[in-house]
Amino acid sequence: MAGNYNAKNQRDYEASLSETAKIRRRNLKSFSAAKSFIRLHANKDQLHDIINLAKEVLKEKNES
């Protein structure tokens, strides 16, 4: 079937990507992992830390 995972095809696909596309793909994977951590594993204190960090970063980005 065409929809089955094939490691060689995956490696070939990733090797064919431009450097910009590789960076974007890596960033999306990292973001997805962070969202999963927040949803599945973060405790209340960690969630408060994440919220405060996000507010600080947003403020910095809005100022620049």
Side-chain angles (χ1 to χ4, degrees), residues 25-61:
R25 183 174 169 81
R26 187 171 39 245
N27 289 344
L28 288 173
K29 284 182 178 183
S30 295
F31 182 65
S32 179
K35 289 192 307 184
S36 293
F37 170 78
I38 289 168
R39 285 194 179 108
L40 301 173
H41 306 292
N43 62 37
K44 189 187 288 189
D45 291 335
Q46 289 170 324
L47 291 171
H48 283 292
D49 290 345
I50 292 166
I51 290 167
N52 290 333
L53 175 62
K55 286 179 181 178
E56 289 174 24
V57 172
L58 182 60
K59 182 179 177 184
E60 290 171 7
K61 289 189 180 272

Side-chain angles (χ1 to χ4, degrees), residues 2-39:
N4 290 343
Y5 175 78
N6 182 307
K8 182 183 179 325
N9 288 347
Q10 185 68 28
R11 282 191 303 273
D12 291 347
Y13 166 72
E14 290 178 1
S16 73
L17 294 174
S18 68
E19 284 305 311
T20 304
K22 287 178 185 177
I23 291 169
R24 178 167 162 61
R25 183 174 169 81
R26 187 171 39 245
N27 289 344
L28 288 173
K29 284 182 178 183
S30 295
F31 182 65
S32 179
K35 289 192 307 184
S36 293
F37 170 78
I38 289 168
R39 285 194 179 108

